[in-house]
Amino acid sequence: MIDQGFIGHRFEPFSAEVEAGRLRAFANAIGEQDPLYRDLEAARAAGHPHLPVPPTFLFCLEMEAPDPGALRALLGIDIAKVLHGEQGFEYHRLVYAGERLTFEQRIGDIYSKKGGALEFVVRDTRVVDHQGTTVADLRCVTVVRNG
Amino acid sequence: MTQLKMADLRVGMVLPELTAGPVSRLDLALYCGASGDHNPIHVDIDFARRAGMDDVFAHGMLSMAWLGRLLTQWVPQSTIRRFQVRFAAITRVGEVIHCAGEVRELQQVDGHWLATLALVTRNQQGETKISGEAVLCLPISDREKEQ
């Protein structure tokens, strides 16, 4: 069983830059053809300062952590047993290419179902811009399949 | 691409559907690279089999990105306040995924409409893969203001 004593654990914050080329690669990978998400001129014509970060991409930037497997390492979870259970985003403003964002992650909850056959770890992430303003809050629920 | 006309907004309104796939192994490789989610279970069949799966399967967040496109092809991204999903079943290679959304609730708050949408992805047999919800903050149209 995962030790519930880790509820409230905070990871070392890390920063990541939103790169335009990476946004274009992401647009290709998800089949996004809207020029707003691919072409700087189209984004500017629509009133944006740069390419906007699409709705789910902040989750990808969480992979920029020095050790993206830090949560699994801390809790002793085997990557072969994890599934993504839930994901949530709360947006406070649009974020753009060229911004540097800081990710503050903490373990929000740990619980089990089916007599421990399934365990759940909730990771809450606050995303902050260079001025210290929160731009988004993310909630990720990882499911661990035991047995 | 059909954008929302505010005068049409009502409970029960169905968003223009978006279809993705059939999901290919190339799609998963591209998403692995572009997203930074390098969990081998999505791209390495040897690893997936050792983990007890028949085959690799799609990242849940690829489907959530498609739902994100469903939203942003209909309304400007800046209107999205919340976006959350639960991953109910694995999306497999070869499946065609239909993304759908419907307006479930409308509330006038502080001079805006808060629209709650129900979101779902299903395969060609109608099996639900992920379900979720988005909350949009939309301007109240001039015509409504005159009423």
Side-chain angles (χ1 to χ4, degrees):
Chain A
M1 295 291 283
I2 302 169
D3 183 356
Q4 291 187 312
F6 287 112
I7 295 173
H9 177 86
R10 288 177 191 279
F11 294 91
E12 188 67 30
F14 62 90
S15 296
E17 193 188 329
V18 183
E19 297 168 8
R22 185 123 187 248
L23 292 183
R24 289 190 192 93
F26 186 75
N28 285 333
I30 68 167
E32 178 59 85
Q33 297 300 323
D34 187 341
L36 178 67
Y37 293 102
R38 311 174 60 96
D39 172 14
L40 177 57
E41 291 314 310
R44 285 191 172 143
H48 299 287
H50 210 312
L51 294 182
V53 169
T56 63
F57 188 77
L58 289 174
F59 176 83
C60 303
L61 286 179
E62 285 195 271
M63 307 290 174
E64 301 290 305
D67 175 10
L71 185 143
R72 290 193 307 271
L74 178 73
L75 303 181
I77 297 170
D78 177 359
I79 192 173
K81 291 186 173 176
V82 302
L83 290 171
H84 201 169
E86 294 174 37
Q87 181 66 39
F89 297 86
E90 191 176 343
Y91 306 101
H92 307 298
R93 73 162 170 88
L94 275 187
V95 183
Y96 293 98
E99 290 201 65
R100 189 160 190 82
L101 303 173
T102 299
F103 293 76
E104 302 171 1
Q105 300 173 320
R106 81 183 265 284
I107 297 177
D109 202 3
I110 297 170
Y111 56 95
S112 63
K113 290 183 184 174
K114 298 186 180 174
L118 296 175
E119 293 185 280
F120 299 78
V121 179
V122 180
R123 182 186 68 202
D124 294 314
T125 304
R126 193 158 75 108
V127 187
V128 177
D129 68 13
H130 74 286
Q131 291 179 310
T133 306
T134 303
V135 297
D137 290 287
L138 278 59
R139 182 174 182 273
C140 173
V141 182
T142 296
V143 184
V144 184
R145 301 174 294 139
N146 292 318
Chain B
M1 177 182 321
T2 313
Q3 299 226 327
L4 169 67
K5 293 186 187 68
M6 283 308 298
D8 296 339
L9 184 66
R10 58 180 165 70
V11 173
M13 185 176 194
V14 173
L15 279 65
E17 203 185 272
L18 183 146
T19 300
V23 178
S24 71
R25 294 169 200 281
L26 176 62
D27 292 335
L28 304 189
L30 288 175
Y31 187 80
C32 169
S35 70
D37 183 346
H38 298 167
N39 186 337
I41 208 155
H42 301 297
V43 286
D44 180 343
I45 192 168
D46 302 326
F47 182 93
R49 285 183 175 155
R50 282 200 303 274
M53 310 303 292
D54 297 332
D55 196 354
V56 296
F57 56 93
H59 307 74
M61 290 304 289
L62 175 57
S63 291
M64 191 175 189
W66 292 331
L67 282 176
R69 285 176 49 208
L70 178 82
L71 295 174
T72 59
Q73 73 175 8
W74 193 60
V75 292
Q77 190 184 330
S78 58
T79 64
I80 307 174
R81 287 287 180 273
R82 278 199 303 118
F83 180 23
Q84 60 198 50
V85 301
R86 195 173 71 82
F87 303 100
I90 282 168
T91 295
R92 297 174 192 283
V93 171
E95 288 187 315
V96 176
I97 299 299
H98 301 278
C99 302
E102 184 184 326
V103 179
R104 283 288 164 83
E105 199 180 311
L106 276 176
Q107 273 182 289
Q108 276 199 24
V109 178
D110 298 333
H112 290 84
W113 285 115
L114 280 187
T116 304
L117 314 183
L119 303 170
V120 66
T121 73
R122 295 189 184 93
N123 68 3
Q124 60 272 47
Q125 277 86 39
E127 182 195 359
T128 295
K129 299 294 186 173
I130 76 179
S131 59
E133 192 176 278
V135 175
L136 310 179
C137 181
L138 298 160
I140 289 175
S141 70
D142 292 342
R143 197 190 64 177
E144 287 166 314
K145 282 177 189 161
E146 286 163 16
Q147 287 173 354

